[in-house]
Every structure is written in C-alpha cells, then in structure tokens.
Amino acid sequence: MHEMSLAESIREIVEDAREKHAFVRVRSIVLALGELSAVEPDSLRFCFEAVMKGGAGEGAELCIREVPGQGYCPACASSVALHALYEACPACGAYGVEVTRGDRMQVLELEVE
C-alpha cells in the first residue's frame, strides 16, 4: 500500500512547514490528486489519519481536489481526456498517448493555527 508512504510524505511536509513558520497545528490540508496517479483516495485518508496522530496534523481535515487525466496523442495531434494510463486515444484509437495532466499528487494548501 503506497498510500502509507504518501501519507508519511504529507506529514513530513507539515513538519517542515511547522519548523519554518512556527504554527501550532494544521486545521486542513488541501491536495491535488490526479485521476491517473494510482492513488486510492479512501486508502490515503485512512493512512493520513494514522500517520498524523501525535503531530501538528492530528485531527486535520484532508481535502482532496481531483484533477482529471489528460493526454496528447501524437498520432492525431489531439489533446484528449484520459481515464487510465496506457489506454488508446479516444479520438483515433492509436496507442502512445502522452500524459499531460492528472498523474501527480501535490499539497496545495495548509490551513494552520
């Protein structure tokens, strides 16, 4: 379950921010989560709650903003919506679509006290 290591990375981001900005605790964390990132949101939420215990992020709300998958098909020169990695181009059926958006997870905001 790689969601556990991702949750631990979020905790490290929180702790690094706490050292730099001297806040008491985090009220909420906003993530951008790509549709193609291979991250299960429910599993991430479960792991997040577990790894945040005892730290500045304990009790913080995890807000997930889903980012749709998108790609570029060199065969037909189209920008297309993607719902899975390595799928054929929905416009022309060719394979080799290059992912251009929706394959990452990123911390966007920390609301702190």
Side-chain angles (χ1 to χ4, degrees), residues 26-63:
V26 177
R27 295 184 66 196
S28 67
I29 298 171
V30 179
L31 292 181
L33 185 61
E35 179 180 12
L36 306 174
S37 67
V39 176
E40 175 56 46
D42 290 336
S43 295
L44 181 61
R45 287 181 197 283
F46 176 81
C47 295
F48 174 82
E49 287 182 28
V51 302
M52 290 298 175
K53 289 188 178 176
E58 183 170 6
E61 178 185 5
L62 181 62
C63 305

Side-chain angles (χ1 to χ4, degrees), residues 2-113:
H2 72 283
E3 283 84 355
M4 183 61 79
S5 64
L6 294 173
E8 290 171 346
S9 295
I10 295 169
R11 183 192 66 219
E12 289 174 16
I13 290 169
V14 167
E15 295 302 329
D16 288 348
R18 185 178 185 191
E19 287 179 19
K20 291 178 185 174
H21 303 288
F23 54 82
V24 177
R25 74 178 200 96
V26 177
R27 295 184 66 196
S28 67
I29 298 171
V30 179
L31 292 181
L33 185 61
E35 179 180 12
L36 306 174
S37 67
V39 176
E40 175 56 46
D42 290 336
S43 295
L44 181 61
R45 287 181 197 283
F46 176 81
C47 295
F48 174 82
E49 287 182 28
V51 302
M52 290 298 175
K53 289 188 178 176
E58 183 170 6
E61 178 185 5
L62 181 62
C63 305
I64 296 176
R65 293 184 186 164
E66 294 186 19
V67 178
Q70 188 171 357
Y72 174 77
C73 177
C76 67
S78 297
S79 180
V80 296
L82 289 179
H83 303 292
L85 293 173
Y86 314 114
E87 69 181 10
C89 174
C92 73
Y95 286 90
V97 176
E98 302 164 4
V99 174
T100 58
R101 188 174 79 171
D103 63 340
R104 295 189 165 90
M105 181 184 88
Q106 181 181 12
V107 174
L108 298 176
E109 300 173 21
L110 298 177
E111 181 183 349
V112 300
E113 294 179 349

